[in-house]
Amino acid sequence: MSLLFTIIVTFFAGMGAGLGTGFAGMSAAAVITPMLVTFLGMDPYMAVGIALSSDVLASAVSAYTYGKNKNLDIRNGIIMMISVLTFTVVGSYISSLVPSATMGSFSVFMTFLLGIKFIVRPVMTTKESMQGVSAKKRAIQSILCGVLIGFICGFIGAGGGMMMLLILTSVLGYELKTAVGTSVFIMTFTALTGAVSHFAIGGMPDVTVWVLCIVFTFLWARVAAVFANRASAKTLNRATGVILVILGIVVMGFQFLS
């Protein structure tokens, strides 16, 4: 495989993943994994490891950007993150005890539907209305939702970023920017945990593909996060919706090809 072709594939994979992360807190695995498998013929397990490691810096720079603009709920994000990580393990263990089923399309279809949702029914919650919820109630909600997200992600192995964004906006009533900021904050640590475990079990990946994916995803996530924090709520809803719909369609196409 020529280096030029590898650069082209990883550039577009990183662009899609970075835009999805910066705009909507979407996991890079949803975009990078099928592209590496389809076009570079990479082992799926190793492709997921590369995607997760790309997620770490992309989510971290996005979380930093959202936090700098005061669009990040660190306290409840930490509470939810602990619940998510704990019950991802529980869900993964229970999943190993039941007959396996192909659930990879779940995350992609959810991405597409969530994109439609942001276009048709934008999230217009304000920070003022968010502050109307007591700290105790918000903490309890974060724990319960983290348990749900973690268990489902561990059980089916997909959909973490999208589920967090959906629950933060629709169930917990977060303003969109704060929801995305909190989501990428949590994803930084969940992706790091997943990447370390993947490489510990499967060994080191192709270094060239690995580095290129990390760099391109990081750069595009930074661009998307800066734009998102400067945009109005209406513009951000539309941009997020369009990005998710396009990524959903493209990734479904990659899955069909593979």
Side-chain angles (χ1 to χ4, degrees):
M1 195 66 65
S2 71
L3 177 60
L4 178 60
F5 184 70
T6 299
I7 292 174
I8 292 172
V9 171
T10 53
F11 173 81
F12 283 105
M15 180 173 69
L19 291 176
T21 299
F23 275 114
M26 178 180 175
S27 172
V31 179
I32 291 178
T33 302
M35 286 195 69
L36 296 185
V37 171
T38 302
F39 295 108
L40 299 183
M42 185 169 287
D43 174 70
Y45 187 85
M46 198 56 67
V48 171
I50 290 176
L52 287 171
S53 57
S54 300
D55 241 343
V56 177
L57 285 180
S59 295
V61 72
S62 297
Y64 170 77
T65 304
Y66 279 91
K68 189 170 68 172
N69 288 275
K70 296 180 170 48
N71 292 316
L72 170 59
D73 185 354
I74 294 180
R75 179 178 179 274
N76 289 296
I78 292 175
I79 293 173
M80 184 178 288
M81 178 181 66
I82 294 172
S83 299
V84 169
L85 291 175
T86 301
F87 278 85
T88 295
V89 175
V90 174
S92 180
Y93 173 72
I94 294 177
S95 177
S96 69
L97 302 179
V98 300
S100 61
T102 302
M103 296 295 290
S105 59
F106 171 82
S107 178
V108 180
F109 189 60
M110 186 177 176
T111 299
F112 176 78
L113 290 182
L114 193 57
I116 297 293
K117 186 262 183 192
F118 279 119
I119 295 173
V120 177
R121 295 188 62 185
V123 177
M124 300 304 290
T125 307
T126 62
K127 289 186 178 180
E128 288 72 22
S129 62
M130 279 180 58
Q131 293 169 355
V133 180
S134 69
K136 182 179 179 180
K137 181 179 180 181
R138 182 73 77 195
I140 294 173
Q141 288 177 327
S142 297
I143 293 173
L144 294 176
C145 290
V147 168
L148 177 64
I149 294 169
F151 181 80
I152 292 177
C153 292
F155 190 76
I156 68 174
M162 290 299 92
M163 281 197 63
M164 269 190 277
L165 183 61
L166 179 63
I167 287 178
L168 286 170
T169 54
S170 300
V171 178
L172 299 185
Y174 273 62
E175 175 259 346
L176 182 55
K177 291 181 183 179
T178 307
V180 176
T182 305
S183 177
V184 290
F185 172 74
I186 296 172
M187 286 297 295
T188 301
F189 298 95
T190 56
L192 177 61
T193 303
V196 170
S197 62
H198 260 70
F199 294 151
I201 295 171
M204 289 300 291
D206 182 303
V207 176
T208 301
V209 176
W210 185 36
V211 171
L212 287 172
C213 283
I214 289 175
V215 171
F216 290 138
T217 306
F218 173 85
L219 292 175
W220 283 103
R222 171 64 176 167
V223 171
V226 170
F227 175 84
N229 279 278
R230 293 177 179 175
S232 65
K234 186 176 181 179
T235 300
L236 181 57
N237 271 277
R238 287 181 177 174
T240 302
V242 170
I243 291 291
L244 292 179
V245 168
I246 292 174
L247 290 178
I249 293 173
V250 170
V251 175
M252 279 191 279
F254 290 148
Q255 290 185 336
F256 176 77
L257 290 174
S258 60

